[in-house]
Amino acid sequence: MNLSRRQLLAASTVASASLAVPGVAAAAPSVVRRDRPALPSGLMSGDVTANSAVVWSRTDRRSRLVVDLTSHGRFDRAIRLRGPVTGPDDDFTAQLPLKGLRPGQRYDYRVAFEDAYGRRGESLQGSFSTPGRNRAVSFVWTGDTVGQGWGINPDLGGMVAYRAMHRTDPDFFLHSGDNIYADGPIEAEVKVADGTVWKNVVTEEVAKVAETLAEYRGRYKYNLLDHNVRDLYADVPIVSQWDDHETVNNWYPGEILTDPRYTEKRVDVLAARARKAFLEYLPIAHQGGRDRVYRKVSHGPLLDVFCLDMRTYRDANPAPGVAGPVAILGPEQAAWLVREVAASKAAWKVIASDMPIGVLVPDGSEIEAVANGVAGAPGGREHEIAWVLSQFKRRKVKNTVWLTADVHYCAAHHYDPARAAFTDFDPFWEIVAGPINAGTFGPNALDSTFGPKLEFVKAADFPNQPPSGGNQFFGHVEIDPRTEVFTVSLRDLHGTVLWRKDLPPA
């Protein structure tokens, strides 16, 4: 494979002293047997860089993850990597970090689990490609999966927008938050405003709002029942963010719920359970501690992706008229973002924001996102974003694009100090995608503080329009290695291009 076997094995193998599993000399065929470990939730890879990746899967009993890795497409020449032992404490999920990979290389991998007797169970195959020089980069992004009670509808073929993303053959998939809707029960049938009936696949864990760790885990397991989702994850690495619905709608640290559906009212307790499930069910390369969600994922010389966490470090949602600073990133994350973006040598820097900057997102009488709807100088959460943007300008950062989701419609916004109340920044684009399988809403009002101009929008025909209405959206990016032009488009659930823009590098 033209890589160091010793280096790869040393970096990848996760030791465990709790279960002794003998080595296996040859790969076993893919045979499903009830007395051996199964793979009920498929497999996926994530956070792929030029020389690293994370492989994930889940089984149904206490056993050890085993990964066969090859760059030839021939598993008789694969390297076998033995990963961690998993059990009920991890909900039988396991992840294996891979290091020492070659840039610009396609890798095929096969996942299985070994029981205590060394018997391998069901196996599945996936693939990913590491970024390299002189290669185009393409990816898709969106957010908002299984929201507002719109789940897996077998009559429509499941979550077909995932299939449309898959057909673009992207290098990776950026999920911009709301991977699940833990606060949205799934019912067998839902009456639509147009008189039709939406039918859902239903499991016990999604029948009520999630409060227990088992219920949070059940939300991820539910999404992985969909064959479109599993097919995409087998071929396309994921880069995952989280927002509010992985826990509960519009939450902030220290909040005490008044929602009568919840017996556990302390959001901090719910968020701890939600974070554990999120980290168990999504392959993430941990940077700065296992529980930290914000991180940089480098995709070669053309692209660095900076994944934000606008949920964990925020202050309580403020009133619109609050003039003083209110945290949404927190000082440590904001400093990290400025430092890492300024140090980036990539041609393009994508700021993967789980919430938009200039779109007004209310939380009742309070403010949920950044924009406060008050014209003039920055107030509340706008202070931190103003500082970040001014630091980018001061440090001569070029070629940043903000990609986001959250508001359940798609839009393209161009920000320019010539139109803004706050002017200490360079012009940039913010592109909004989603939802991918949830209710469609919008459009929302724009806040003038940073001078956004609406260049394109496509929203719902009526509030909470189901996916069957066709207004589900994802974004697609391709970067040309020769010209470094950043071509971004917004597409519907069938993959039809609705809007497209070529952004030349500065």
Side-chain angles (χ1 to χ4, degrees):
M1 290 168 54
N2 296 318
L3 56 84
S4 166
R5 178 186 176 94
R6 178 176 297 177
Q7 179 187 22
L8 182 58
L9 289 172
S12 302
T13 303
V14 180
S16 174
S18 58
L19 178 63
V21 182
V24 181
S30 179
V31 177
V32 180
R33 293 182 49 168
R34 293 182 180 179
D35 62 337
R36 298 189 183 183
L39 301 175
S41 299
L43 79 171
M44 64 180 99
S45 63
D47 283 12
V48 172
T49 71
N51 52 30
S52 64
V54 181
V55 170
W56 175 95
S57 191
R58 174 176 169 268
T59 187
D60 61 350
R61 67 198 70 192
R62 187 171 180 80
S63 51
R64 184 188 294 278
L65 175 65
V66 179
V67 177
D68 293 330
L69 183 69
T70 178
S71 61
H72 302 290
R74 290 183 53 184
F75 283 97
D76 59 345
R77 301 172 63 182
I79 287 179
R80 174 152 298 173
L81 306 170
R82 298 174 68 230
V85 172
T86 185
D89 289 346
D90 303 304
D91 205 26
F92 304 103
T93 65
Q95 302 188 26
L96 182 63
L98 308 175
K99 297 184 179 180
L101 304 177
R102 290 187 62 206
Q105 181 69 60
R106 174 193 164 103
Y107 287 94
D108 298 294
Y109 66 96
R110 185 166 57 198
V111 162
F113 285 82
E114 288 180 346
D115 66 16
Y117 302 99
R119 299 177 302 187
R120 295 184 71 196
E122 179 184 6
S123 66
L124 291 173
Q125 185 174 322
S127 63
F128 61 85
S129 295
T130 56
R133 293 190 177 277
N134 302 318
R135 285 194 174 190
V137 174
S138 70
F139 66 95
V140 292
W141 92 93
T142 191
D144 316 306
T145 301
V146 186
Q148 291 72 50
W150 311 115
I152 301 170
N153 187 335
D155 291 346
L156 298 180
M159 297 193 234
V160 294
Y162 273 81
R163 182 174 64 200
M165 291 194 294
H166 194 180
R167 285 175 174 169
T168 70
D169 192 25
D171 292 316
F172 65 93
F173 164 41
L174 170 63
H175 200 303
S176 300
D178 296 338
N179 294 264
I180 61 167
Y181 275 70
D183 53 339
I186 305 295
E187 299 179 354
E189 292 188 352
V190 182
K191 292 183 179 179
V192 183
D194 62 7
T196 61
V197 176
W198 175 280
K199 296 182 180 180
N200 284 315
V201 172
V202 178
T203 63
E204 181 179 353
E205 293 98 335
V206 303
K208 62 178 288 293
V209 296
E211 298 180 81
T212 67
L213 178 57
E215 288 165 346
Y216 282 112
R217 288 165 165 169
R219 293 286 171 162
Y220 293 95
K221 285 185 278 193
Y222 178 86
N223 289 4
L224 291 169
L225 293 175
D226 186 90
H227 67 94
N228 302 290
V229 173
R230 288 171 59 145
D231 289 349
L232 174 74
Y233 288 166
D235 291 339
V236 180
I238 187 171
V239 175
S240 305
Q241 297 178 264
W242 80 338
D243 191 32
D244 56 337
H245 291 288
E246 285 85 359
T247 304
V248 63
N249 185 46
N250 294 355
W251 72 274
Y252 53 83
E255 183 182 7
I256 303 299
L257 297 178
T258 59
D259 190 330
R261 299 178 300 170
Y262 287 84
T263 56
E264 176 54 72
K265 306 292 188 181
R266 297 168 296 174
V267 164
D268 288 354
V269 173
L270 296 175
R273 296 168 183 167
R275 184 184 296 268
K276 179 172 173 57
F278 174 84
L279 295 172
E280 287 173 339
Y281 273 85
L282 291 164
I284 293 176
H286 300 292
Q287 301 173 14
R290 168 158 176 85
D291 290 344
R292 201 180 87 177
V293 175
Y294 72 85
R295 63 202 188 279
K296 180 182 84 169
V297 180
S298 179
H299 205 80
L302 292 177
L303 177 66
D304 281 340
V305 180
F306 300 88
C307 298
L308 302 186
D309 177 358
M310 290 181 153
R311 193 57 51 180
T312 303
Y313 311 100
R314 64 167 52 201
D315 293 330
N317 289 345
V322 171
V326 177
I328 189 166
L329 297 175
E332 184 176 329
Q333 182 179 190
W336 166 86
L337 177 61
V338 168
R339 182 178 64 251
E340 292 296 323
V341 172
S344 172
K345 303 299 183 184
W348 288 91
K349 296 89 175 169
V350 161
I351 315 300
S353 177
D354 48 293
M355 303 198 78
I357 297 172
V359 178
L360 184 61
V361 185
D363 177 25
S365 61
E366 297 172 337
I367 295 300
E368 159 67 358
V370 175
N372 61 9
V374 178
R381 293 191 172 122
E382 293 171 336
H383 281 281
E384 276 188 345
I385 301 303
W387 180 80
V388 168
L389 295 177
S390 65
Q391 288 295 311
F392 284 176
K393 178 181 177 181
R394 188 162 293 113
R395 299 182 187 217
K396 296 180 171 54
V397 172
K398 304 297 181 184
N399 304 330
T400 62
V401 178
W402 293 64
L403 301 182
T404 187
D406 181 66
V407 289
H408 294 243
Y409 66 93
C410 71
H413 306 136
H414 183 255
Y415 291 77
D416 194 317
R419 297 186 294 263
F422 175 81
T423 61
D424 189 20
F425 68 95
D426 292 324
F428 65 95
W429 284 85
E430 173 188 65
I431 318 295
V432 186
I436 198 63
N437 198 88
T440 313
F441 294 87
N444 294 18
L446 289 178
D447 184 295
S448 62
T449 298
F450 301 116
K453 179 183 178 184
L454 180 64
E455 297 287 350
F456 173 81
V457 65
K458 185 75 167 64
D461 298 323
F462 54 87
N464 196 20
Q465 185 176 17
S468 53
N471 286 319
Q472 304 286 290
F473 309 110
F474 68 94
H476 179 275
V477 170
E478 183 166 6
I479 307 175
D480 187 302
R482 183 179 58 85
T483 64
E484 297 184 349
V485 170
F486 186 102
T487 300
V488 57
S489 60
L490 290 168
R491 310 186 183 199
D492 67 14
L493 84 168
H494 301 297
T496 303
V497 175
L498 306 173
W499 174 85
R500 176 187 172 109
K501 185 74 174 180
D502 290 335
L503 304 180

